[in-house]
Amino acid sequence: MSLSVSRRLTAVTAIAVAGLFASTAPAALAAPPGAAAAAPAAVAAAPTPPDIPLANVKAHLSQFQSIATANGGNRAHGRAGYKASIDYVKGKLDAAGFTTTLQTFTSSGATGYNLIADWPGGDPNSVLMSGSHLDSVTAGPGINDNGSGSAAVLETALAVSRAQLQPTKHLRFGWWGAEELGLVGSQYYVNSLPAAEKSKISGYLNFDMIGSPNPGYFVYDDDPTIEQTFKTYFAGLNIPTEIETEGDGRSDHAPFKNAGVPVGGLFSGADYTKTAAQAQKWGGTSGKAFDACYHASCDTAANINDTALDRNSDAIAYAVWTLGAAVPVPPGPSFENTADVNIPDSPGAAVTSPITVSGVSGNAPATTKVDVNIVHTYRGDLVIDLIAPDGTAYRLKNSSSDSGANVVASYTVNASSEVANGVWKLQVKDVAAQDTGYINSWKITF
Ligand code: DTR
Ligand code: CA
Ligand code: ZN
Ligand code: ZN
């Protein structure tokens, strides 16, 4: 493991220079202050999803309100208002060219209905499904819970028709009955699917309460790719998001998740209280519920925040177009340090190269990517770790008898328990005598 003289001289003179922090973040995320902003990395351009017209979504909500008003004030399972809601949604989809199926089931002695709508075309063995429950509680019209999700999913489906979209995947949409009785309709649908059909569903996107009057922007943290799709969308709007933590089992994605289907979704909050920190970043009122009319008679057409409904509706379209078109999801923001850092031969101390991450909301993803470029004459000498801002070490590479030169590699780390912002470090230690080298550059992508 001897060094050539020139290599040795280089190694001796190599010094750490001021870190050059470049970020290739989505346009809306500025590079860290003082950083040399690199040109944004080229990413596969996802087909341009449409803007979902807020007025169209609100028109569906107005219909749901009228239906409730004309049918005892609610749209609950087993009541006339629910069946009228199903008939309204089905009529729109039939007219738009969807293949619709009305699935009936019985719950609490009443007939329930699921509506399934398939957009003709796409790979029948790779189905992207979007859904929402259409029923309300008996106490009120259920315009936010969950007219909001149902109207947004409906309008996204109608946008697919307007665009005559020809996605790679097969697109399916669902409106569930009797969710308020305990996810009855969606569970019935999943139970009714043969295993072979279940395995064709590449993802299920759930939208239950997405227009809360005192809104938060929550993203389900289930499937990492679906989660990243939504986070990338909101990052493009410079809107921070949080992970939805109220309860995995609390909406219609649960039966799909329990059946092994990748799931994700969006949520604007229910009866939990908005904190001061959340009000600081999202606006609205701290100390008040995200939706003070949750499961109450006041959950009417007035119980909606238009901005949240609009943004979440557009996010649904973005996800359907991006995931359905099977175009690689644009990566999240990345940050790089290109400063050379000399690695002393064993038994020298470990060295580190820092990257300061800022402007990234929430936690790092389960698929945090670390690209490493190390010049060294015997890479088997090297132990490489990623050190999170809180000091947690993630082993990237152990030492070995690999006598090859250099380490040019990508590692994927589940750093989802780490806050993204802060100082991350690449730590390298040479644990075998002779041979030295230096960290040439490294990059972290969220
Ligand atoms: N259970 C839903 C509302 C709800 C409460 N927490 C979450 C979390 C994620 C989605 C939905 C919800 C309902 O009452 O319909
Ligand atoms: Ca919009
Ligand atoms: Zn509810
Ligand atoms: Zn709901």
Side-chain angles (χ1 to χ4, degrees):
M1 293 182 282
S2 61
L3 271 176
S4 64
V5 172
S6 61
R7 185 70 206 89
R8 193 184 296 280
L9 284 176
T10 307
V12 168
T13 54
I15 53 173
V17 296
L20 295 175
F21 299 98
S23 81
T24 50
L29 285 181
V43 293
T48 307
D51 172 77
I52 298 299
L54 173 65
N56 292 10
V57 181
K58 299 268 288 180
H60 302 316
L61 293 184
S62 175
Q63 286 293 326
F64 293 147
Q65 177 64 64
S66 300
I67 286 168
T69 303
N71 290 283
N74 68 66
R75 298 180 306 103
H77 164 72
R79 307 293 180 85
Y82 180 74
K83 183 60 168 60
S85 301
I86 278 278
D87 292 343
Y88 170 76
V89 175
K90 185 177 186 298
K92 289 287 185 184
L93 293 163
D94 288 339
F98 283 83
T99 304
T100 59
T101 306
L102 206 51
Q103 183 182 54
T104 61
F105 58 87
T106 301
S107 181
S108 302
T111 301
Y113 302 88
N114 291 328
L115 177 63
I116 309 300
D118 285 280
W119 179 243
D123 179 358
N125 295 313
S126 181
V127 179
L128 177 69
M129 193 162 188
S130 304
S132 66
H133 75 87
L134 185 56
D135 63 311
S136 75
V137 293
T138 55
I143 300 305
N144 186 38
D145 181 21
N146 181 38
S148 62
S150 295
V153 171
L154 171 59
E155 192 57 29
T156 299
L158 297 179
V160 166
S161 173
R162 287 194 292 267
Q164 286 297 292
L165 194 66
Q166 294 184 342
T168 305
K169 297 186 179 178
H170 177 77
L171 300 184
R172 181 173 297 157
F173 300 85
W175 289 264
W176 312 118
E179 185 272 353
E180 301 290 5
L181 280 70
L183 318 183
V184 175
S186 54
Q187 188 65 68
Y188 182 87
Y189 173 77
V190 171
N191 290 347
S192 71
L193 279 178
E197 291 305 308
K198 268 194 272 269
S199 63
K200 292 175 185 174
I201 303 177
S202 67
Y204 171 72
L205 314 181
N206 192 62
F207 306 100
D208 183 357
M209 301 181 74
I210 61 168
S212 304
N214 187 24
Y217 292 90
F218 298 97
V219 176
Y220 293 13
D221 64 334
D222 294 291
D223 177 72
T225 300
I226 298 174
E227 177 188 352
Q228 184 58 56
T229 302
F230 286 123
K231 287 176 79 170
T232 299
Y233 176 77
F234 282 103
L237 295 178
N238 230 4
I239 294 170
T241 57
E242 286 187 13
I243 294 305
E244 188 285 304
T245 56
E246 277 200 32
D248 280 347
R250 291 194 63 174
S251 194
D252 296 300
H253 57 302
F256 289 87
K257 182 175 182 179
N258 295 337
V261 174
V263 301
L266 298 173
F267 179 54
S268 54
D271 48 349
Y272 284 23
T273 301
K274 182 180 278 186
T275 66
Q278 290 171 330
Q280 181 68 30
K281 64 182 168 184
W282 288 329
T285 311
S286 66
K288 265 192 67 182
F290 295 102
D291 182 353
C293 290
Y294 175 59
H295 286 185
S297 59
C298 55
D299 187 5
T300 65
N303 187 49
I304 289 288
N305 177 286
D306 285 359
T307 303
L309 182 63
D310 189 21
R311 287 169 172 170
N312 284 321
S313 300
D314 293 340
I316 296 172
Y318 177 83
V320 169
W321 259 249
T322 304
L323 295 169
V327 169
V329 172
S334 63
F335 300 79
E336 187 175 20
N337 186 343
T338 57
D340 290 358
V341 179
N342 182 48
I343 305 167
D345 192 9
S346 172
V351 293
T352 60
S353 171
I355 287 180
T356 299
V357 172
S358 64
V360 180
S361 71
N363 284 14
T367 53
T368 298
K369 189 161 170 276
V370 181
D371 294 297
V372 172
N373 186 311
I374 294 175
V375 176
H376 199 277
T377 48
Y378 194 103
R379 60 172 163 249
D381 287 3
L382 303 180
V383 173
I384 306 174
D385 291 293
L386 173 68
I387 311 295
D390 67 358
T392 306
Y394 294 82
R395 177 56 49 88
L396 304 180
K397 176 194 172 294
N398 289 313
S399 61
S400 69
S401 58
D402 180 350
S403 60
N406 309 327
V407 178
V408 180
S410 285
Y411 304 93
T412 299
V413 175
N414 181 354
S416 55
S417 62
E418 306 291 347
V419 173
N421 290 333
V423 181
W424 294 76
K425 295 173 185 166
L426 187 78
Q427 178 175 284
V428 183
K429 185 170 173 51
D430 184 330
V431 297
Q434 299 187 39
D435 289 284
T436 59
Y438 62 96
I439 300 171
N440 186 26
S441 67
W442 75 286
K443 179 193 290 187
I444 186 168
T445 302
F446 294 99

